Amino acid sequence: MLQLIAGAVDDRTARGVAAAVSRLVHTGELPAGTRLPTVRSVAQALGISPTTVSEAWRSLASAGAIQTRGRSGTFVLTPSRPRQKMRFSRLVANPSTLPHDFSTGVPDHDLLPDLAPALRRIGDTRLTTSYLEDPVLPRLEVVLRERWPYPPQQLTVVDGALDALDRVVGAVIRFGARVVVENPTFPPLLDLLESVGAVPVPVTLDGAGISPAALAAALESAPTAVFLQPRAHNPTGVSMTPERAADLAALLAAHESIIVVEDDHVGDIATAPAVSLGVHLPDRVLHVRSFSKSHGPDLRLAAVGGPAALVAAIADRRLLGPGWSSRVLQAVLLDLLTDPATVRVVAGARREYARRRDLLLTALAVHGVEATAADGINMWIAVRDQQVALVTLAAHGIGAAPGAPFEVRPVGGDHIRVTVGLVRDGFEDLAAILAEAAGARHRASGHRTRPLHRAAR
C-alpha cells in the first residue's frame, strides 16, 4: 500500500498528498474500510516530513474521507461533515439580537413582484396528469430558451440555484476530483465540493471575471470542472465581460474533458447582460439561471440548460426523488416572466439595487474604505480585522457576514460581506459605521458616529 500511495503522489505538499489519497479512494484502489499506513511510514516512503503527512491526514479527516481511531489506526470512510463545520453555517448573524441584519444575502422583500395576481391568473389549472410527463412546462421551456445566453441542447427545472449546484456536483464530481473555483466564492458551493471529497482549486478575479492567467495555471492540475458565477458574483459583485468569456473559453478549448458550470444566481435583477462560455463551448457548459432573488425566494425555482447528456442525467436522477419541480410554481413563474406589469416591477428593482450600491459605495469612498459592488445585492468590504469589524458592527446593531467562509485560501487581507440590497436609506450613517468597523480611521473612546436610521434594513 505504501508503494501505491507513493506512486500516486506527484506533489509532495500536504495538499498534494491529500489529493492523491482522495483520488485513490475515488478509483476504488483504497476502498472504504482500508487501514492506512502510519504517518511516519508514509513520510519515509515519500521523503517528506511527518508533519506534512499529518496535515494531509487532517485535511482528509476534515472532508470526512478518513477517520483516526486511536491505536487502532486510520481508516478510509465515506465523506461526511457535521453542520457546525460547514461554511454556510458561519455566514448569517443572529437576527433576533441585531435589528439591522445585512449578513443574509437575500433580496429586499418589498422589491419582489406580488405573486397574488399570478396565482389568480393561473387559477385552478390541472397542470399534471401523470408522473411520466416532462419535468418542464412546455410553454415555460419556450420562454426559457428565448432568454438563454446560448442555445442549450436540453433544459430542466429544479428547486433553486443551490439545488441545481447540488445535483450538478452529484452528476459530475467524484471523490478526489480537482475543481476550479473562484476565490472568493459562494460558501455553500465549497461545502458541496468538500462533502464529496473534491479538491477546490482557487483562481483569482479581476473586474472582468476570472483571471485568464490564474485559470491557465489552474488547468495544469487537470481539473474535472470549472465553477463560476458569470454576473453579480457573490460576494464581490463582479460580472464577466463577453471578451473575458471568449478568453476563458479559448483556454478551455484544449481541455475537452472539463465541464464548465455557470451559476447565474441573480438573474433579472443583475445590471450586466447575460454572458456565458456556452456561446463558445456549448457542448461542455451547464448554465444555471435562478429566479429566487428576482421573482421570489419561495418560488425555489432555477433552470439548468446545456449538454443533453448532463441535463438528462440530472433530470433522470430526480425521478428517484421529487420527480419534478411543482408545475403550479412553474406556471406562476411563466406568468411572472411574461406579464408586462411584473417585468416593469423587476426592472424597477434592478434600478433600485443599483442606486443602493452606488450610494453606499460613494459614501464609503469618502471614508477611504475599499469596497466592491459592481452588480447584484452584495458588497465586499476590506477590513483591518474581520472579527473586530463584526464585533464593532454588532455593537451598532448591524449584522454582516465574515469574509473567511468565502475564501478557499486567503485573498489578501480580511473582508466582510454586506447585503447592500437591504439598505434602504441612511447610507452616510452606515458608511461611517462601516468605516469605523473597517479600521479606516482611528477611533477614540466613545461613539464617533450617529446611530443607524431605524428605517434601514
Side-chain angles (χ1 to χ4, degrees), residues 179-183 201-206 209-223 226 244 247-248 251-252 255 409:
V179 179
V180 175
V181 298
E182 299 151 326
N183 192 36
V201 180
V203 292
T204 56
L205 298 162
D206 59 27
I210 289 177
S211 162
L215 178 60
L219 292 177
E220 295 180 2
S221 67
V226 175
R244 179 58 54 83
D247 291 341
L248 299 180
L251 289 171
L252 288 162
H255 300 267
R409 63 177 60 148

PDB file of all heavy atoms in Angstrom, residues 179-183 201-206 209-223 226 244 247-248 251-252 255 409:
ATOM      1  N   VAL A 179     -11.414  20.691  -8.723  1.00  0.00           N
ATOM      2  CA  VAL A 179     -12.449  21.557  -9.273  1.00  0.00           C
ATOM      3  C   VAL A 179     -12.003  23.009  -9.156  1.00  0.00           C
ATOM      4  O   VAL A 179     -11.681  23.480  -8.060  1.00  0.00           O
ATOM      5  CB  VAL A 179     -13.792  21.362  -8.535  1.00  0.00           C
ATOM      6  CG1 VAL A 179     -14.858  22.293  -9.105  1.00  0.00           C
ATOM      7  CG2 VAL A 179     -14.247  19.906  -8.617  1.00  0.00           C
ATOM      8  N   VAL A 180     -11.965  23.718 -10.276  1.00  0.00           N
ATOM      9  CA  VAL A 180     -11.576  25.126 -10.277  1.00  0.00           C
ATOM     10  C   VAL A 180     -12.752  25.973  -9.783  1.00  0.00           C
ATOM     11  O   VAL A 180     -13.874  25.833 -10.276  1.00  0.00           O
ATOM     12  CB  VAL A 180     -11.150  25.571 -11.687  1.00  0.00           C
ATOM     13  CG1 VAL A 180     -10.866  27.076 -11.719  1.00  0.00           C
ATOM     14  CG2 VAL A 180      -9.926  24.792 -12.143  1.00  0.00           C
ATOM     15  N   VAL A 181     -12.475  26.841  -8.814  1.00  0.00           N
ATOM     16  CA  VAL A 181     -13.500  27.740  -8.263  1.00  0.00           C
ATOM     17  C   VAL A 181     -12.908  29.135  -8.120  1.00  0.00           C
ATOM     18  O   VAL A 181     -11.693  29.303  -7.983  1.00  0.00           O
ATOM     19  CB  VAL A 181     -14.016  27.263  -6.889  1.00  0.00           C
ATOM     20  CG1 VAL A 181     -14.693  25.903  -6.997  1.00  0.00           C
ATOM     21  CG2 VAL A 181     -12.881  27.204  -5.862  1.00  0.00           C
ATOM     22  N   GLU A 182     -13.778  30.118  -8.153  1.00  0.00           N
ATOM     23  CA  GLU A 182     -13.346  31.489  -7.905  1.00  0.00           C
ATOM     24  C   GLU A 182     -12.935  31.637  -6.439  1.00  0.00           C
ATOM     25  O   GLU A 182     -13.446  30.947  -5.566  1.00  0.00           O
ATOM     26  CB  GLU A 182     -14.497  32.450  -8.221  1.00  0.00           C
ATOM     27  CG  GLU A 182     -14.960  32.395  -9.669  1.00  0.00           C
ATOM     28  CD  GLU A 182     -16.433  32.742  -9.835  1.00  0.00           C
ATOM     29  OE1 GLU A 182     -17.229  32.413  -8.924  1.00  0.00           O
ATOM     30  OE2 GLU A 182     -16.784  33.322 -10.866  1.00  0.00           O
ATOM     31  N   ASN A 183     -12.021  32.537  -6.191  1.00  0.00           N
ATOM     32  CA  ASN A 183     -11.601  32.826  -4.821  1.00  0.00           C
ATOM     33  C   ASN A 183     -11.586  34.338  -4.609  1.00  0.00           C
ATOM     34  O   ASN A 183     -10.745  35.020  -5.192  1.00  0.00           O
ATOM     35  CB  ASN A 183     -10.204  32.263  -4.557  1.00  0.00           C
ATOM     36  CG  ASN A 183      -9.840  32.287  -3.090  1.00  0.00           C
ATOM     37  OD1 ASN A 183     -10.693  32.082  -2.231  1.00  0.00           O
ATOM     38  ND2 ASN A 183      -8.572  32.542  -2.781  1.00  0.00           N
ATOM     39  N   VAL A 201      -9.698  24.142  -6.440  1.00  0.00           N
ATOM     40  CA  VAL A 201      -8.500  24.812  -6.945  1.00  0.00           C
ATOM     41  C   VAL A 201      -8.866  26.278  -7.147  1.00  0.00           C
ATOM     42  O   VAL A 201      -9.599  26.617  -8.088  1.00  0.00           O
ATOM     43  CB  VAL A 201      -8.023  24.186  -8.269  1.00  0.00           C
ATOM     44  CG1 VAL A 201      -6.772  24.902  -8.776  1.00  0.00           C
ATOM     45  CG2 VAL A 201      -7.755  22.693  -8.085  1.00  0.00           C
ATOM     46  N   PRO A 202      -8.410  27.178  -6.280  1.00  0.00           N
ATOM     47  CA  PRO A 202      -8.863  28.571  -6.343  1.00  0.00           C
ATOM     48  C   PRO A 202      -8.187  29.366  -7.443  1.00  0.00           C
ATOM     49  O   PRO A 202      -7.001  29.189  -7.732  1.00  0.00           O
ATOM     50  CB  PRO A 202      -8.483  29.115  -4.968  1.00  0.00           C
ATOM     51  CG  PRO A 202      -7.295  28.299  -4.558  1.00  0.00           C
ATOM     52  CD  PRO A 202      -7.514  26.931  -5.135  1.00  0.00           C
ATOM     53  N   VAL A 203      -8.967  30.253  -8.077  1.00  0.00           N
ATOM     54  CA  VAL A 203      -8.431  31.187  -9.062  1.00  0.00           C
ATOM     55  C   VAL A 203      -8.895  32.594  -8.704  1.00  0.00           C
ATOM     56  O   VAL A 203      -9.990  32.786  -8.179  1.00  0.00           O
ATOM     57  CB  VAL A 203      -8.874  30.833 -10.503  1.00  0.00           C
ATOM     58  CG1 VAL A 203      -8.232  29.539 -10.951  1.00  0.00           C
ATOM     59  CG2 VAL A 203     -10.391  30.732 -10.615  1.00  0.00           C
ATOM     60  N   THR A 204      -8.070  33.572  -9.005  1.00  0.00           N
ATOM     61  CA  THR A 204      -8.361  34.947  -8.641  1.00  0.00           C
ATOM     62  C   THR A 204      -9.288  35.608  -9.663  1.00  0.00           C
ATOM     63  O   THR A 204      -9.437  35.150 -10.796  1.00  0.00           O
ATOM     64  CB  THR A 204      -7.067  35.766  -8.536  1.00  0.00           C
ATOM     65  OG1 THR A 204      -6.354  35.659  -9.774  1.00  0.00           O
ATOM     66  CG2 THR A 204      -6.196  35.242  -7.411  1.00  0.00           C
ATOM     67  N   LEU A 205      -9.885  36.722  -9.229  1.00  0.00           N
ATOM     68  CA  LEU A 205     -10.785  37.519 -10.057  1.00  0.00           C
ATOM     69  C   LEU A 205     -10.213  38.908 -10.256  1.00  0.00           C
ATOM     70  O   LEU A 205      -9.459  39.404  -9.422  1.00  0.00           O
ATOM     71  CB  LEU A 205     -12.153  37.657  -9.386  1.00  0.00           C
ATOM     72  CG  LEU A 205     -12.978  36.411  -9.111  1.00  0.00           C
ATOM     73  CD1 LEU A 205     -14.045  36.723  -8.078  1.00  0.00           C
ATOM     74  CD2 LEU A 205     -13.623  35.912 -10.377  1.00  0.00           C
ATOM     75  N   ASP A 206     -10.613  39.531 -11.354  1.00  0.00           N
ATOM     76  CA  ASP A 206     -10.416  40.968 -11.505  1.00  0.00           C
ATOM     77  C   ASP A 206     -11.756  41.580 -11.897  1.00  0.00           C
ATOM     78  O   ASP A 206     -12.800  40.928 -11.766  1.00  0.00           O
ATOM     79  CB  ASP A 206      -9.302  41.289 -12.507  1.00  0.00           C
ATOM     80  CG  ASP A 206      -9.570  40.716 -13.895  1.00  0.00           C
ATOM     81  OD1 ASP A 206     -10.753  40.527 -14.266  1.00  0.00           O
ATOM     82  OD2 ASP A 206      -8.592  40.475 -14.640  1.00  0.00           O
ATOM     83  N   GLY A 209     -13.902  39.331 -14.369  1.00  0.00           N
ATOM     84  CA  GLY A 209     -14.172  37.926 -14.094  1.00  0.00           C
ATOM     85  C   GLY A 209     -12.916  37.171 -13.726  1.00  0.00           C
ATOM     86  O   GLY A 209     -11.945  37.759 -13.228  1.00  0.00           O
ATOM     87  N   ILE A 210     -12.924  35.852 -13.941  1.00  0.00           N
ATOM     88  CA  ILE A 210     -11.762  35.028 -13.620  1.00  0.00           C
ATOM     89  C   ILE A 210     -10.552  35.499 -14.423  1.00  0.00           C
ATOM     90  O   ILE A 210     -10.639  35.753 -15.628  1.00  0.00           O
ATOM     91  CB  ILE A 210     -12.048  33.544 -13.924  1.00  0.00           C
ATOM     92  CG1 ILE A 210     -13.057  32.978 -12.910  1.00  0.00           C
ATOM     93  CG2 ILE A 210     -10.782  32.716 -13.892  1.00  0.00           C
ATOM     94  CD1 ILE A 210     -13.442  31.544 -13.194  1.00  0.00           C
ATOM     95  N   SER A 211      -9.419  35.592 -13.760  1.00  0.00           N
ATOM     96  CA  SER A 211      -8.181  35.983 -14.440  1.00  0.00           C
ATOM     97  C   SER A 211      -7.748  34.872 -15.389  1.00  0.00           C
ATOM     98  O   SER A 211      -7.599  33.712 -14.981  1.00  0.00           O
ATOM     99  CB  SER A 211      -7.087  36.233 -13.401  1.00  0.00           C
ATOM    100  OG  SER A 211      -5.815  36.199 -13.994  1.00  0.00           O
ATOM    101  N   PRO A 212      -7.515  35.173 -16.678  1.00  0.00           N
ATOM    102  CA  PRO A 212      -7.040  34.140 -17.612  1.00  0.00           C
ATOM    103  C   PRO A 212      -5.734  33.499 -17.168  1.00  0.00           C
ATOM    104  O   PRO A 212      -5.552  32.286 -17.316  1.00  0.00           O
ATOM    105  CB  PRO A 212      -6.883  34.912 -18.924  1.00  0.00           C
ATOM    106  CG  PRO A 212      -7.854  36.042 -18.819  1.00  0.00           C
ATOM    107  CD  PRO A 212      -7.812  36.437 -17.371  1.00  0.00           C
ATOM    108  N   ALA A 213      -4.814  34.293 -16.628  1.00  0.00           N
ATOM    109  CA  ALA A 213      -3.543  33.735 -16.172  1.00  0.00           C
ATOM    110  C   ALA A 213      -3.765  32.747 -15.030  1.00  0.00           C
ATOM    111  O   ALA A 213      -3.122  31.687 -14.975  1.00  0.00           O
ATOM    112  CB  ALA A 213      -2.601  34.854 -15.734  1.00  0.00           C
ATOM    113  N   ALA A 214      -4.677  33.092 -14.113  1.00  0.00           N
ATOM    114  CA  ALA A 214      -4.969  32.201 -12.993  1.00  0.00           C
ATOM    115  C   ALA A 214      -5.615  30.916 -13.485  1.00  0.00           C
ATOM    116  O   ALA A 214      -5.314  29.818 -12.997  1.00  0.00           O
ATOM    117  CB  ALA A 214      -5.861  32.902 -11.985  1.00  0.00           C
ATOM    118  N   LEU A 215      -6.522  31.021 -14.455  1.00  0.00           N
ATOM    119  CA  LEU A 215      -7.159  29.815 -14.991  1.00  0.00           C
ATOM    120  C   LEU A 215      -6.133  28.945 -15.710  1.00  0.00           C
ATOM    121  O   LEU A 215      -6.134  27.714 -15.560  1.00  0.00           O
ATOM    122  CB  LEU A 215      -8.284  30.188 -15.952  1.00  0.00           C
ATOM    123  CG  LEU A 215      -8.995  28.993 -16.616  1.00  0.00           C
ATOM    124  CD1 LEU A 215      -9.633  28.082 -15.567  1.00  0.00           C
ATOM    125  CD2 LEU A 215     -10.044  29.475 -17.614  1.00  0.00           C
ATOM    126  N   ALA A 216      -5.243  29.550 -16.479  1.00  0.00           N
ATOM    127  CA  ALA A 216      -4.227  28.783 -17.190  1.00  0.00           C
ATOM    128  C   ALA A 216      -3.370  27.984 -16.209  1.00  0.00           C
ATOM    129  O   ALA A 216      -3.056  26.806 -16.450  1.00  0.00           O
ATOM    130  CB  ALA A 216      -3.353  29.714 -18.029  1.00  0.00           C
ATOM    131  N   ALA A 217      -3.001  28.603 -15.098  1.00  0.00           N
ATOM    132  CA  ALA A 217      -2.212  27.899 -14.086  1.00  0.00           C
ATOM    133  C   ALA A 217      -3.017  26.771 -13.449  1.00  0.00           C
ATOM    134  O   ALA A 217      -2.502  25.679 -13.209  1.00  0.00           O
ATOM    135  CB  ALA A 217      -1.735  28.882 -13.028  1.00  0.00           C
ATOM    136  N   ALA A 218      -4.312  27.030 -13.180  1.00  0.00           N
ATOM    137  CA  ALA A 218      -5.160  26.019 -12.543  1.00  0.00           C
ATOM    138  C   ALA A 218      -5.378  24.816 -13.457  1.00  0.00           C
ATOM    139  O   ALA A 218      -5.521  23.685 -12.981  1.00  0.00           O
ATOM    140  CB  ALA A 218      -6.496  26.636 -12.153  1.00  0.00           C
ATOM    141  N   LEU A 219      -5.411  25.031 -14.750  1.00  0.00           N
ATOM    142  CA  LEU A 219      -5.641  23.933 -15.692  1.00  0.00           C
ATOM    143  C   LEU A 219      -4.495  22.924 -15.688  1.00  0.00           C
ATOM    144  O   LEU A 219      -4.678  21.762 -16.090  1.00  0.00           O
ATOM    145  CB  LEU A 219      -5.850  24.479 -17.103  1.00  0.00           C
ATOM    146  CG  LEU A 219      -7.144  25.278 -17.318  1.00  0.00           C
ATOM    147  CD1 LEU A 219      -7.198  25.821 -18.737  1.00  0.00           C
ATOM    148  CD2 LEU A 219      -8.367  24.431 -17.019  1.00  0.00           C
ATOM    149  N   GLU A 220      -3.350  23.330 -15.202  1.00  0.00           N
ATOM    150  CA  GLU A 220      -2.224  22.402 -15.116  1.00  0.00           C
ATOM    151  C   GLU A 220      -2.466  21.304 -14.087  1.00  0.00           C
ATOM    152  O   GLU A 220      -1.795  20.268 -14.106  1.00  0.00           O
ATOM    153  CB  GLU A 220      -0.946  23.171 -14.781  1.00  0.00           C
ATOM    154  CG  GLU A 220      -0.516  24.156 -15.874  1.00  0.00           C
ATOM    155  CD  GLU A 220       0.752  24.900 -15.516  1.00  0.00           C
ATOM    156  OE1 GLU A 220       1.315  24.628 -14.427  1.00  0.00           O
ATOM    157  OE2 GLU A 220       1.180  25.765 -16.310  1.00  0.00           O
ATOM    158  N   SER A 221      -3.422  21.509 -13.183  1.00  0.00           N
ATOM    159  CA  SER A 221      -3.730  20.498 -12.162  1.00  0.00           C
ATOM    160  C   SER A 221      -4.713  19.444 -12.661  1.00  0.00           C
ATOM    161  O   SER A 221      -5.139  18.582 -11.894  1.00  0.00           O
ATOM    162  CB  SER A 221      -4.302  21.180 -10.913  1.00  0.00           C
ATOM    163  OG  SER A 221      -5.590  21.750 -11.185  1.00  0.00           O
ATOM    164  N   ALA A 222      -5.092  19.514 -13.937  1.00  0.00           N
ATOM    165  CA  ALA A 222      -6.025  18.556 -14.558  1.00  0.00           C
ATOM    166  C   ALA A 222      -7.360  18.489 -13.819  1.00  0.00           C
ATOM    167  O   ALA A 222      -7.775  17.424 -13.342  1.00  0.00           O
ATOM    168  CB  ALA A 222      -5.388  17.167 -14.634  1.00  0.00           C
ATOM    169  N   PRO A 223      -8.084  19.611 -13.740  1.00  0.00           N
ATOM    170  CA  PRO A 223      -9.374  19.601 -13.040  1.00  0.00           C
ATOM    171  C   PRO A 223     -10.459  18.893 -13.837  1.00  0.00           C
ATOM    172  O   PRO A 223     -10.353  18.733 -15.057  1.00  0.00           O
ATOM    173  CB  PRO A 223      -9.690  21.091 -12.891  1.00  0.00           C
ATOM    174  CG  PRO A 223      -9.030  21.730 -14.073  1.00  0.00           C
ATOM    175  CD  PRO A 223      -7.759  20.944 -14.277  1.00  0.00           C
ATOM    176  N   VAL A 226     -14.943  23.441 -13.941  1.00  0.00           N
ATOM    177  CA  VAL A 226     -14.753  24.839 -13.546  1.00  0.00           C
ATOM    178  C   VAL A 226     -16.123  25.376 -13.142  1.00  0.00           C
ATOM    179  O   VAL A 226     -17.074  25.306 -13.923  1.00  0.00           O
ATOM    180  CB  VAL A 226     -14.176  25.688 -14.695  1.00  0.00           C
ATOM    181  CG1 VAL A 226     -14.106  27.161 -14.295  1.00  0.00           C
ATOM    182  CG2 VAL A 226     -12.809  25.174 -15.115  1.00  0.00           C
ATOM    183  N   ARG A 244     -13.960  38.581 -21.832  1.00  0.00           N
ATOM    184  CA  ARG A 244     -13.331  37.661 -20.891  1.00  0.00           C
ATOM    185  C   ARG A 244     -13.862  36.245 -21.088  1.00  0.00           C
ATOM    186  O   ARG A 244     -13.107  35.263 -20.993  1.00  0.00           O
ATOM    187  CB  ARG A 244     -13.564  38.139 -19.450  1.00  0.00           C
ATOM    188  CG  ARG A 244     -12.953  37.224 -18.366  1.00  0.00           C
ATOM    189  CD  ARG A 244     -11.446  37.047 -18.511  1.00  0.00           C
ATOM    190  NE  ARG A 244     -10.717  38.296 -18.569  1.00  0.00           N
ATOM    191  CZ  ARG A 244     -10.357  38.999 -17.484  1.00  0.00           C
ATOM    192  NH1 ARG A 244     -10.636  38.544 -16.270  1.00  0.00           N
ATOM    193  NH2 ARG A 244      -9.688  40.131 -17.621  1.00  0.00           N
ATOM    194  N   ASP A 247     -11.984  34.748 -23.842  1.00  0.00           N
ATOM    195  CA  ASP A 247     -10.608  34.416 -23.451  1.00  0.00           C
ATOM    196  C   ASP A 247     -10.576  33.122 -22.641  1.00  0.00           C
ATOM    197  O   ASP A 247      -9.708  32.265 -22.851  1.00  0.00           O
ATOM    198  CB  ASP A 247     -10.005  35.559 -22.635  1.00  0.00           C
ATOM    199  CG  ASP A 247      -9.759  36.813 -23.469  1.00  0.00           C
ATOM    200  OD1 ASP A 247      -9.707  36.698 -24.710  1.00  0.00           O
ATOM    201  OD2 ASP A 247      -9.629  37.902 -22.871  1.00  0.00           O
ATOM    202  N   LEU A 248     -11.496  32.981 -21.697  1.00  0.00           N
ATOM    203  CA  LEU A 248     -11.523  31.776 -20.860  1.00  0.00           C
ATOM    204  C   LEU A 248     -11.879  30.552 -21.697  1.00  0.00           C
ATOM    205  O   LEU A 248     -11.319  29.467 -21.509  1.00  0.00           O
ATOM    206  CB  LEU A 248     -12.525  31.955 -19.716  1.00  0.00           C
ATOM    207  CG  LEU A 248     -12.254  33.110 -18.743  1.00  0.00           C
ATOM    208  CD1 LEU A 248     -13.326  33.155 -17.664  1.00  0.00           C
ATOM    209  CD2 LEU A 248     -10.867  32.993 -18.115  1.00  0.00           C
ATOM    210  N   LEU A 251      -8.910  29.219 -23.558  1.00  0.00           N
ATOM    211  CA  LEU A 251      -8.022  28.425 -22.705  1.00  0.00           C
ATOM    212  C   LEU A 251      -8.577  27.025 -22.478  1.00  0.00           C
ATOM    213  O   LEU A 251      -7.833  26.041 -22.444  1.00  0.00           O
ATOM    214  CB  LEU A 251      -7.826  29.120 -21.357  1.00  0.00           C
ATOM    215  CG  LEU A 251      -6.975  30.393 -21.354  1.00  0.00           C
ATOM    216  CD1 LEU A 251      -7.050  31.072 -20.007  1.00  0.00           C
ATOM    217  CD2 LEU A 251      -5.523  30.057 -21.703  1.00  0.00           C
ATOM    218  N   LEU A 252      -9.895  26.931 -22.328  1.00  0.00           N
ATOM    219  CA  LEU A 252     -10.530  25.648 -22.028  1.00  0.00           C
ATOM    220  C   LEU A 252     -10.706  24.772 -23.262  1.00  0.00           C
ATOM    221  O   LEU A 252     -10.954  23.572 -23.132  1.00  0.00           O
ATOM    222  CB  LEU A 252     -11.889  25.886 -21.372  1.00  0.00           C
ATOM    223  CG  LEU A 252     -11.839  26.403 -19.926  1.00  0.00           C
ATOM    224  CD1 LEU A 252     -13.172  27.015 -19.533  1.00  0.00           C
ATOM    225  CD2 LEU A 252     -11.466  25.271 -18.980  1.00  0.00           C
ATOM    226  N   HIS A 255      -8.882  21.565 -23.450  1.00  0.00           N
ATOM    227  CA  HIS A 255      -9.095  20.617 -22.354  1.00  0.00           C
ATOM    228  C   HIS A 255     -10.519  20.066 -22.486  1.00  0.00           C
ATOM    229  O   HIS A 255     -11.440  20.473 -21.777  1.00  0.00           O
ATOM    230  CB  HIS A 255      -8.900  21.304 -21.006  1.00  0.00           C
ATOM    231  CG  HIS A 255      -7.528  21.886 -20.825  1.00  0.00           C
ATOM    232  ND1 HIS A 255      -6.502  21.207 -20.219  1.00  0.00           N
ATOM    233  CD2 HIS A 255      -7.013  23.084 -21.207  1.00  0.00           C
ATOM    234  CE1 HIS A 255      -5.414  21.957 -20.208  1.00  0.00           C
ATOM    235  NE2 HIS A 255      -5.695  23.104 -20.810  1.00  0.00           N
ATOM    236  N   ARG A 409      -8.530  30.047   0.009  1.00  0.00           N
ATOM    237  CA  ARG A 409      -7.294  30.441   0.685  1.00  0.00           C
ATOM    238  C   ARG A 409      -7.338  31.960   0.828  1.00  0.00           C
ATOM    239  O   ARG A 409      -8.087  32.640   0.106  1.00  0.00           O
ATOM    240  CB  ARG A 409      -6.059  29.986  -0.092  1.00  0.00           C
ATOM    241  CG  ARG A 409      -5.908  30.585  -1.457  1.00  0.00           C
ATOM    242  CD  ARG A 409      -4.620  30.153  -2.142  1.00  0.00           C
ATOM    243  NE  ARG A 409      -4.548  28.709  -2.301  1.00  0.00           N
ATOM    244  CZ  ARG A 409      -3.942  28.107  -3.311  1.00  0.00           C
ATOM    245  NH1 ARG A 409      -3.361  28.841  -4.255  1.00  0.00           N
ATOM    246  NH2 ARG A 409      -3.914  26.798  -3.395  1.00  0.00           N
TER     247      ARG A 409
END
